[in-house]
Amino acid sequence: MKTSTPTPSTRNKALERFIRNRLAVTGLILIGVFVLIALFAQVIAPFDPIQQNYEQLLQPPSSRHWFGTDNLGRDVLSRVIYGTRVSLSAGIIAVSLAALIGVLLGLSAGFFRGFVDEIIMRIIDAMLAFPFLVLAITLAAILGPSLQNAMLAITVVSIPVFARVTRGQVLSERERDYVQAATALGANDARIMLQHVLPNIAGPIIIQSTLSIAGAILAESSLSFLGLGVQPPTPSWGEMLNVARGYLRDAPWTAIAPGILIFIAVLAFNLLGDGLRDALDPRQQS
Amino acid sequence: MKVFVVAGILVTFGALATFAQERTLNVGLDADPPNLDPALSSAFVDRQVQNQIYDKLVDINPKLKIIPMLATAWKVSDLGTTYTFTLRPNIKFHDGTPFDANVVKFNLERYMTLDTSRRKGELASIKEIKVLSPTSIQLNLKFPFAPLLAVLSDRSGMMVSPAAVAKFGKDFTNNPVGTGPFKFVERRRQDRIILENTNTYWDTANRPNFDKLVYRPFPDGDVRAANLLSGAIQVMTPIDPKDLKAIAENTRTELASIAGLGFQGIPLNTTKPPFNNKALRQAFAATLDREAIDRVVFQGSVTPAVTPFPPGSPAYTKFFQVNPPNLELAKKKLAEGNQPNGFSFTMLIATGTVNAQLAQLYQAFAKTANIDMKIEQIEFGTLLARADKKDFDALALGWSGRPDPDGNIFDFFVTGGVSNYSGYSNPRVDKLLQLARQTRDIVIRRDIYEDALENIVSDASYPITYFQKVNIGKLKTVDNLPLNPDGIMRFKSVKLN
Amino acid sequence: MLTFALRRLLYAIPTLLIVTIMVFSLVRILPGNPALLMLGEEASPELVAALNRDLGLDKPLYEQYFSWITKVFQGNLGESLRNNESITKVVLEKLPTTLELAFLAMLVALVLAIPAGIFTAVKRGGAADSAVTVLALSGISLPNFFLGVLLIYFFSVRLGWIPPSGYVTPAENLGQNLLLMLMPAVTLGTGTAGVLTRFLRGSMLEVLTQDFVRTARAKGVGAAGVIFGHALRNAFLPILTIFGLQLSALLSGAVITEQIFSIPGFGRLLVEAVATRDYPLLQGVVLLSSIAIFIVSFLVDILYASVDPRIRYQ
């Protein structure tokens, strides 16, 4: 994932390439739609997502309940609409935090090298050696189940990849002329890193963030699927799918709606990330 | 050359054919039985397998009456402090060693003294064990203890081979040896436990007609049911409520149900706010719609309850009725408890979709009286730890049940009882529960329990919500599987068609 | 080359030590007490204390760590708290199952990805490329628990073709074993297939623009010859790398896949170990999977370095 130093003209070209990439634009639009749904859930949802109705258990889709009702008679459509909030906030917040911490660690490791680098990278290596979900499950079990704790677990497991990407970029950037020049001019380390190096390595980090958000949404729904995420009655796609699994024979619609939404949301971020990579990484272009 | 190949193929097929003739009964359970040593076992599911490997001193029949097993007869002294058992002669363990009174003494003493024995509490009333002859043994008690025979019909009465205990030590649990109709062959963790018909069982009228009994754990209820419906297993228990209908309606399978011994309820922590306030406990209890629980979560497969004694129990009483939710009462009690506008608390539940569904029902009930109930779903392990430390407001918890009524009430409501999670303490209840376990006449005991229950129900430290049923799904080719309220499947009489 | 390998191996020691400490401390700060869990409904304080003593859980943590790590160095992972079973034995019993699953998943991934990767690289930029790209990204985006549920719904509930779950060993009945492994392998393999397709496309594109391919073309080697004789062979290293990197993802995926299809493998062992707080078992399972991931990434690094000298910075 090496990139050349972007200059204003390459940036414009990148933007152009991005806009021409229809898939990436589709991803961006989808994400926009999800964000709107999450923000205006109260307005859009036709029913209260936690209102139970014991006379309407497991009803198939109808004009009243577009996606049918679940095992407590709640409107599945309203629940997936509210579930968007959980998934998006888990993805975006957890990854933003992880990126912040990971980039700082990577910057320090790459810039100071030597002892600091050794310590940071050994710990990062150790973390990477844990299977992602295993670490997340263990952390979620330690912290106790709640959305915040699930997000925290996802943050922790997402840090290493940012540290690695950043360190790699810094290692190649610091040998470049503009950094050497700045050092010669007496600029201090923090300043060089934040003002010069960081903007130049932003591309790969943005790509990684997008892809990590996709992973984080999957991770949140996996944790909820295992009962370690949001607590009932708050709707979450993963939890809805877990409950619905038991009713596949009689009420498959309760599984289809949340499953498809997880899929589309993750796909949207992956499309965007993939398109960004194509746009920012000229090696893949002819 | 070709002839040899053909001959080889024929031999292989022959071998396959004989292999296929070996008749196996596959049983689906909800968990991998953790421990097959009766001394160390604490999970209900262990008993399913143990009961095929070991015989017990006595057994219970479907009417919960004590019947002979390894003990053919017994006599109880008038004061109820001396039990004398006559033992069945000429019984051998699977390892060939004989069973006699010394073996009984060895086993009971092992259960009572082994450092990590889970049986100590049940046998605490025994003072002395005397071998009178190879076929006769006498137990002297410190005080009369009515539940003793019922206790000996369970793990405390299981007789294991002393030679095998000596040989395997700590690993006896992985090499269990008893006198039962099936002997242990091997276990693969989370995969299967394989038992084999001994063909030499002493109860000749009850010898199974198949060769192998295999237990397979399927933690997921859907998977368990799907395996039964596809014929991959022939018997399964328990059954998720949503799968009951499919099993009952399928042409190849049938459903057998009987009222169980256990109960489910909501221990409320009486040692801290808000539930140290009796009126608030009563207010929450008044919102419970037990009929809706049965209908919505269990599709009519459980029995709404207010006491810990299910209909099959000798202590069952019609005196306590299941009332519909009473909002008036709830509001009145809220005012009485100085929280006229409602209050809020958190209920801990174990992970699992049925648990979550049930808790959301409780939550909706509470809301009708403006009581704000939050749900915290944690693993069973964490739940027990927090229950033990009294670090909770309310729990959703149950009990698998015991044949003697004492096992369903004493430890839950006596001050400092092992399962008294709510920290309940009522001197009058303490006195009545002690009295009841020393009384052998069941009619008198029932009256004593009625007295105690009046306090217990009104104090609402542990509102009981429903009795679960024992549900067994099986293929129609499996015959003669007795249905027992204790939920244990006894396979010795089973005939496979 | 050798010095590089040795240096990497030297680095591995502190990292693995950190891994053991992380494993140990993570496991110990899990709330909940194994003794209490084992006793379940019947826990009395005296019994809990006796059991803790018996299991060695009353000793100070550092002492427990050292006695564990000493045993690990002797190749002994200890005994399961639950029933005193040897953990090495349990793990060796479960590992083949998960390896079979992972192997079949990889196979599924390869079968899907190689043609798709070549196709997109050759037809780059067209509508077909976009379509396959969307498919590949869909593979990555489809949560494996949803795919598993869908497969069960269609092939078991609806069509009744394949039993929904269960497991028989290949020794018992190979046909049945493969039939039962089919849906889990597809469930687990599609994500990897997506990743693989993307990488294969990228590396094929790179190779296709290189001189030796042009030379081959100029020499009149046919399109198929170029692709299979030259480009694919050279694009194979990145594929191996992805295999290595996907091991972690596969192990994570196996946790969920084994749960859905009730396969008694490594993943379910792990979930059980967490749920019962079987400390030695959990430590053993996590440690072994970490070491496996570590070894694979080590091999990948070596492989890379031996092929691409630029990697050997420092």
Side-chain angles (χ1 to χ4, degrees), chain B residues 32-196:
Chain B
D32 189 16
N35 211 316
L36 297 180
D37 182 346
L40 305 180
S41 152
S42 53
F44 172 79
V45 69
D46 288 339
R47 293 158 66 191
Q48 294 286 8
V49 181
Q50 287 164 340
N51 271 279
Q52 325 304 327
I53 301 175
Y54 312 111
D55 285 321
K56 302 166 291 191
L57 284 181
V58 294
D59 203 359
I60 54 165
N61 71 7
K63 300 229 146 41
L64 300 183
K65 197 173 155 278
I66 305 288
I67 54 172
M69 205 167 192
L70 285 176
T72 50
W74 51 91
K75 229 172 61 206
V76 187
S77 68
D78 291 344
L79 289 173
T81 49
T82 307
Y83 286 66
T84 314
F85 294 90
T86 308
L87 304 175
R88 199 174 291 279
N90 305 323
I91 302 290
K92 283 204 168 19
F93 283 103
H94 303 147
D95 61 5
T97 55
F99 165 80
D100 60 20
N102 281 312
V103 169
V104 179
K105 185 172 157 72
F106 168 87
N107 270 287
L108 292 178
E109 283 178 349
R110 177 166 179 263
Y111 293 146
M112 289 161 63
T113 56
L114 189 71
D115 201 23
T116 51
S117 164
R118 276 65 149 170
R119 307 273 78 82
K120 282 181 183 164
E122 298 168 354
L123 298 174
S125 61
I126 297 179
K127 185 172 72 186
E128 187 189 17
I129 304 163
K130 265 200 222 160
V131 174
L132 303 178
S133 81
T135 55
S136 175
I137 193 159
Q138 184 181 322
L139 309 184
N140 292 323
L141 306 193
K142 297 173 194 155
F143 44 83
F145 186 63
L148 187 69
L149 282 175
V151 162
L152 294 176
S153 78
D154 194 0
R155 282 169 291 206
S156 284
M158 286 179 185
M159 295 293 123
V160 314
S161 159
V165 171
K167 185 171 159 199
F168 295 110
K170 256 190 155 181
D171 245 356
F172 175 78
T173 174
N174 298 317
N175 300 277
V177 178
T179 61
F182 294 91
K183 67 177 183 211
F184 176 82
V185 179
E186 69 161 316
R187 73 175 298 166
R188 280 178 247 151
R189 197 170 175 132
Q190 287 184 323
D191 185 11
R192 63 193 61 198
I193 295 177
I194 303 174
L195 308 183
E196 194 177 66

Side-chain angles (χ1 to χ4, degrees), chain C residues 102 106 242-252 289 292-294 296:
Chain C
M106 282 289 189
I242 291 302
F243 261 33
L245 295 176
Q246 279 292 302
L247 186 68
S248 170
L250 278 180
L251 278 176
S252 292
S289 46
I293 292 174
F294 203 82
V296 171

